[in-house]
mmCIF file with all atom_site columns, all heavy atoms in Angstrom:
data_model
loop_
_atom_site.group_PDB
_atom_site.id
_atom_site.type_symbol
_atom_site.label_atom_id
_atom_site.label_alt_id
_atom_site.label_comp_id
_atom_site.label_asym_id
_atom_site.label_entity_id
_atom_site.label_seq_id
_atom_site.pdbx_PDB_ins_code
_atom_site.Cartn_x
_atom_site.Cartn_y
_atom_site.Cartn_z
_atom_site.occupancy
_atom_site.B_iso_or_equiv
_atom_site.pdbx_formal_charge
_atom_site.auth_seq_id
_atom_site.auth_comp_id
_atom_site.auth_asym_id
_atom_site.auth_atom_id
_atom_site.pdbx_PDB_model_num
ATOM 1   N N   . ILE A 1 16 ? 0.538   19.104 -10.210 1.00 87.00 ? 16 ILE A N   1
ATOM 2   C CA  . ILE A 1 16 ? 0.708   20.462 -9.678  1.00 87.00 ? 16 ILE A CA  1
ATOM 3   C C   . ILE A 1 16 ? 1.770   21.210 -10.478 1.00 87.00 ? 16 ILE A C   1
ATOM 4   O O   . ILE A 1 16 ? 1.595   22.373 -10.831 1.00 87.00 ? 16 ILE A O   1
ATOM 5   C CB  . ILE A 1 16 ? 1.043   20.423 -8.178  1.00 87.00 ? 16 ILE A CB  1
ATOM 6   C CG1 . ILE A 1 16 ? -0.181  19.954 -7.396  1.00 87.00 ? 16 ILE A CG1 1
ATOM 7   C CG2 . ILE A 1 16 ? 1.521   21.785 -7.676  1.00 87.00 ? 16 ILE A CG2 1
ATOM 8   C CD1 . ILE A 1 16 ? 0.091   19.606 -5.946  1.00 87.00 ? 16 ILE A CD1 1
ATOM 9   N N   . GLU A 1 17 ? 2.856   20.532 -10.796 1.00 90.00 ? 17 GLU A N   1
ATOM 10  C CA  . GLU A 1 17 ? 3.908   21.159 -11.604 1.00 90.00 ? 17 GLU A CA  1
ATOM 11  C C   . GLU A 1 17 ? 3.368   21.533 -12.985 1.00 90.00 ? 17 GLU A C   1
ATOM 12  O O   . GLU A 1 17 ? 3.675   22.611 -13.508 1.00 90.00 ? 17 GLU A O   1
ATOM 13  C CB  . GLU A 1 17 ? 5.086   20.198 -11.753 1.00 90.00 ? 17 GLU A CB  1
ATOM 14  C CG  . GLU A 1 17 ? 6.229   20.786 -12.558 1.00 90.00 ? 17 GLU A CG  1
ATOM 15  C CD  . GLU A 1 17 ? 7.376   19.803 -12.734 1.00 90.00 ? 17 GLU A CD  1
ATOM 16  O OE1 . GLU A 1 17 ? 7.637   19.015 -11.810 1.00 90.00 ? 17 GLU A OE1 1
ATOM 17  O OE2 . GLU A 1 17 ? 8.009   19.830 -13.801 1.00 90.00 ? 17 GLU A OE2 1
ATOM 18  N N   . ASP A 1 18 ? 2.552   20.657 -13.575 1.00 89.00 ? 18 ASP A N   1
ATOM 19  C CA  . ASP A 1 18 ? 1.954   20.953 -14.884 1.00 89.00 ? 18 ASP A CA  1
ATOM 20  C C   . ASP A 1 18 ? 1.062   22.193 -14.816 1.00 89.00 ? 18 ASP A C   1
ATOM 21  O O   . ASP A 1 18 ? 1.044   23.004 -15.743 1.00 89.00 ? 18 ASP A O   1
ATOM 22  C CB  . ASP A 1 18 ? 1.148   19.764 -15.401 1.00 89.00 ? 18 ASP A CB  1
ATOM 23  C CG  . ASP A 1 18 ? 2.026   18.626 -15.893 1.00 89.00 ? 18 ASP A CG  1
ATOM 24  O OD1 . ASP A 1 18 ? 3.243   18.843 -16.081 1.00 89.00 ? 18 ASP A OD1 1
ATOM 25  O OD2 . ASP A 1 18 ? 1.500   17.513 -16.075 1.00 89.00 ? 18 ASP A OD2 1
ATOM 26  N N   . ILE A 1 19 ? 0.326   22.341 -13.723 1.00 88.00 ? 19 ILE A N   1
ATOM 27  C CA  . ILE A 1 19 ? -0.522  23.523 -13.548 1.00 88.00 ? 19 ILE A CA  1
ATOM 28  C C   . ILE A 1 19 ? 0.350   24.774 -13.433 1.00 88.00 ? 19 ILE A C   1
ATOM 29  O O   . ILE A 1 19 ? 0.092   25.784 -14.096 1.00 88.00 ? 19 ILE A O   1
ATOM 30  C CB  . ILE A 1 19 ? -1.411  23.390 -12.292 1.00 88.00 ? 19 ILE A CB  1
ATOM 31  C CG1 . ILE A 1 19 ? -2.413  22.258 -12.467 1.00 88.00 ? 19 ILE A CG1 1
ATOM 32  C CG2 . ILE A 1 19 ? -2.130  24.701 -11.990 1.00 88.00 ? 19 ILE A CG2 1
ATOM 33  C CD1 . ILE A 1 19 ? -3.113  21.864 -11.189 1.00 88.00 ? 19 ILE A CD1 1
ATOM 34  N N   . GLU A 1 20 ? 1.378   24.684 -12.594 1.00 89.00 ? 20 GLU A N   1
ATOM 35  C CA  . GLU A 1 20 ? 2.253   25.849 -12.384 1.00 89.00 ? 20 GLU A CA  1
ATOM 36  C C   . GLU A 1 20 ? 2.958   26.268 -13.668 1.00 89.00 ? 20 GLU A C   1
ATOM 37  O O   . GLU A 1 20 ? 3.195   27.452 -13.892 1.00 89.00 ? 20 GLU A O   1
ATOM 38  C CB  . GLU A 1 20 ? 3.265   25.535 -11.287 1.00 89.00 ? 20 GLU A CB  1
ATOM 39  C CG  . GLU A 1 20 ? 2.633   25.437 -9.908  1.00 89.00 ? 20 GLU A CG  1
ATOM 40  C CD  . GLU A 1 20 ? 3.565   24.912 -8.840  1.00 89.00 ? 20 GLU A CD  1
ATOM 41  O OE1 . GLU A 1 20 ? 4.645   24.382 -9.164  1.00 89.00 ? 20 GLU A OE1 1
ATOM 42  O OE2 . GLU A 1 20 ? 3.194   25.015 -7.654  1.00 89.00 ? 20 GLU A OE2 1
ATOM 43  N N   . CYS A 1 21 ? 3.294   25.299 -14.522 1.00 91.00 ? 21 CYS A N   1
ATOM 44  C CA  . CYS A 1 21 ? 3.970   25.607 -15.786 1.00 91.00 ? 21 CYS A CA  1
ATOM 45  C C   . CYS A 1 21 ? 2.970   25.873 -16.912 1.00 91.00 ? 21 CYS A C   1
ATOM 46  O O   . CYS A 1 21 ? 3.363   26.031 -18.066 1.00 91.00 ? 21 CYS A O   1
ATOM 47  C CB  . CYS A 1 21 ? 4.893   24.459 -16.181 1.00 91.00 ? 21 CYS A CB  1
ATOM 48  S SG  . CYS A 1 21 ? 6.264   24.214 -15.053 1.00 91.00 ? 21 CYS A SG  1
ATOM 49  N N   . GLU A 1 22 ? 1.688   25.903 -16.541 1.00 90.00 ? 22 GLU A N   1
ATOM 50  C CA  . GLU A 1 22 ? 0.596   26.192 -17.470 1.00 90.00 ? 22 GLU A CA  1
ATOM 51  C C   . GLU A 1 22 ? 0.529   25.202 -18.634 1.00 90.00 ? 22 GLU A C   1
ATOM 52  O O   . GLU A 1 22 ? 0.157   25.553 -19.755 1.00 90.00 ? 22 GLU A O   1
ATOM 53  C CB  . GLU A 1 22 ? 0.685   27.630 -17.966 1.00 90.00 ? 22 GLU A CB  1
ATOM 54  C CG  . GLU A 1 22 ? 0.538   28.637 -16.845 1.00 90.00 ? 22 GLU A CG  1
ATOM 55  C CD  . GLU A 1 22 ? 0.620   30.073 -17.308 1.00 90.00 ? 22 GLU A CD  1
ATOM 56  O OE1 . GLU A 1 22 ? 0.795   30.329 -18.515 1.00 90.00 ? 22 GLU A OE1 1
ATOM 57  O OE2 . GLU A 1 22 ? 0.506   30.953 -16.437 1.00 90.00 ? 22 GLU A OE2 1
ATOM 58  N N   . ARG A 1 23 ? 0.884   23.930 -18.360 1.00 90.00 ? 23 ARG A N   1
ATOM 59  C CA  . ARG A 1 23 ? 0.751   22.892 -19.380 1.00 90.00 ? 23 ARG A CA  1
ATOM 60  C C   . ARG A 1 23 ? -0.666  22.334 -19.408 1.00 90.00 ? 23 ARG A C   1
ATOM 61  O O   . ARG A 1 23 ? -1.110  21.820 -20.430 1.00 90.00 ? 23 ARG A O   1
ATOM 62  C CB  . ARG A 1 23 ? 1.757   21.769 -19.142 1.00 90.00 ? 23 ARG A CB  1
ATOM 63  C CG  . ARG A 1 23 ? 3.199   22.208 -19.380 1.00 90.00 ? 23 ARG A CG  1
ATOM 64  C CD  . ARG A 1 23 ? 4.133   21.040 -19.303 1.00 90.00 ? 23 ARG A CD  1
ATOM 65  N NE  . ARG A 1 23 ? 4.374   20.650 -17.929 1.00 90.00 ? 23 ARG A NE  1
ATOM 66  C CZ  . ARG A 1 23 ? 5.526   20.794 -17.288 1.00 90.00 ? 23 ARG A CZ  1
ATOM 67  N NH1 . ARG A 1 23 ? 6.559   21.337 -17.910 1.00 90.00 ? 23 ARG A NH1 1
ATOM 68  N NH2 . ARG A 1 23 ? 5.657   20.400 -16.050 1.00 90.00 ? 23 ARG A NH2 1
ATOM 69  N N   . ILE A 1 24 ? -1.371  22.428 -18.264 1.00 89.00 ? 24 ILE A N   1
ATOM 70  C CA  . ILE A 1 24 ? -2.780  22.034 -18.205 1.00 89.00 ? 24 ILE A CA  1
ATOM 71  C C   . ILE A 1 24 ? -3.530  23.057 -17.364 1.00 89.00 ? 24 ILE A C   1
ATOM 72  O O   . ILE A 1 24 ? -2.940  23.743 -16.533 1.00 89.00 ? 24 ILE A O   1
ATOM 73  C CB  . ILE A 1 24 ? -2.994  20.617 -17.629 1.00 89.00 ? 24 ILE A CB  1
ATOM 74  C CG1 . ILE A 1 24 ? -2.506  20.521 -16.184 1.00 89.00 ? 24 ILE A CG1 1
ATOM 75  C CG2 . ILE A 1 24 ? -2.350  19.557 -18.491 1.00 89.00 ? 24 ILE A CG2 1
ATOM 76  C CD1 . ILE A 1 24 ? -2.857  19.215 -15.498 1.00 89.00 ? 24 ILE A CD1 1
ATOM 77  N N   . SER A 1 25 ? -4.830  23.121 -17.600 1.00 89.00 ? 25 SER A N   1
ATOM 78  C CA  . SER A 1 25 ? -5.645  24.068 -16.839 1.00 89.00 ? 25 SER A CA  1
ATOM 79  C C   . SER A 1 25 ? -6.029  23.463 -15.495 1.00 89.00 ? 25 SER A C   1
ATOM 80  O O   . SER A 1 25 ? -5.943  22.251 -15.277 1.00 89.00 ? 25 SER A O   1
ATOM 81  C CB  . SER A 1 25 ? -6.919  24.406 -17.618 1.00 89.00 ? 25 SER A CB  1
ATOM 82  O OG  . SER A 1 25 ? -7.782  23.295 -17.653 1.00 89.00 ? 25 SER A OG  1
ATOM 83  N N   . LEU A 1 26 ? -6.469  24.302 -14.600 1.00 87.00 ? 26 LEU A N   1
ATOM 84  C CA  . LEU A 1 26 ? -6.907  23.844 -13.285 1.00 87.00 ? 26 LEU A CA  1
ATOM 85  C C   . LEU A 1 26 ? -8.114  22.919 -13.426 1.00 87.00 ? 26 LEU A C   1
ATOM 86  O O   . LEU A 1 26 ? -8.225  21.909 -12.723 1.00 87.00 ? 26 LEU A O   1
ATOM 87  C CB  . LEU A 1 26 ? -7.242  25.046 -12.404 1.00 87.00 ? 26 LEU A CB  1
ATOM 88  C CG  . LEU A 1 26 ? -7.552  24.764 -10.952 1.00 87.00 ? 26 LEU A CG  1
ATOM 89  C CD1 . LEU A 1 26 ? -6.414  24.011 -10.282 1.00 87.00 ? 26 LEU A CD1 1
ATOM 90  C CD2 . LEU A 1 26 ? -7.826  26.053 -10.210 1.00 87.00 ? 26 LEU A CD2 1
ATOM 91  N N   . LYS A 1 27 ? -9.000  23.241 -14.354 1.00 90.00 ? 27 LYS A N   1
ATOM 92  C CA  . LYS A 1 27 ? -10.184 22.407 -14.585 1.00 90.00 ? 27 LYS A CA  1
ATOM 93  C C   . LYS A 1 27 ? -9.772  21.005 -15.030 1.00 90.00 ? 27 LYS A C   1
ATOM 94  O O   . LYS A 1 27 ? -10.309 20.004 -14.537 1.00 90.00 ? 27 LYS A O   1
ATOM 95  C CB  . LYS A 1 27 ? -11.072 23.059 -15.647 1.00 90.00 ? 27 LYS A CB  1
ATOM 96  C CG  . LYS A 1 27 ? -12.375 22.358 -15.872 1.00 90.00 ? 27 LYS A CG  1
ATOM 97  C CD  . LYS A 1 27 ? -13.223 23.116 -16.875 1.00 90.00 ? 27 LYS A CD  1
ATOM 98  C CE  . LYS A 1 27 ? -14.542 22.423 -17.100 1.00 90.00 ? 27 LYS A CE  1
ATOM 99  N NZ  . LYS A 1 27 ? -15.399 23.164 -18.025 1.00 90.00 ? 27 LYS A NZ  1
ATOM 100 N N   . GLU A 1 28 ? -8.823  20.917 -15.957 1.00 90.00 ? 28 GLU A N   1
ATOM 101 C CA  . GLU A 1 28 ? -8.330  19.612 -16.407 1.00 90.00 ? 28 GLU A CA  1
ATOM 102 C C   . GLU A 1 28 ? -7.658  18.861 -15.267 1.00 90.00 ? 28 GLU A C   1
ATOM 103 O O   . GLU A 1 28 ? -7.847  17.650 -15.113 1.00 90.00 ? 28 GLU A O   1
ATOM 104 C CB  . GLU A 1 28 ? -7.336  19.777 -17.555 1.00 90.00 ? 28 GLU A CB  1
ATOM 105 C CG  . GLU A 1 28 ? -7.938  20.288 -18.836 1.00 90.00 ? 28 GLU A CG  1
ATOM 106 C CD  . GLU A 1 28 ? -6.895  20.654 -19.866 1.00 90.00 ? 28 GLU A CD  1
ATOM 107 O OE1 . GLU A 1 28 ? -5.862  21.247 -19.502 1.00 90.00 ? 28 GLU A OE1 1
ATOM 108 O OE2 . GLU A 1 28 ? -7.118  20.332 -21.039 1.00 90.00 ? 28 GLU A OE2 1
#
Side-chain angles (χ1 to χ4, degrees):
I16 291 168
E17 181 182 325
D18 286 346
I19 294 167
E20 290 171 347
C21 295
E22 297 180 0
R23 292 187 283 249
I24 62 172
S25 70
L26 187 56
K27 185 177 180 178
E28 292 170 319

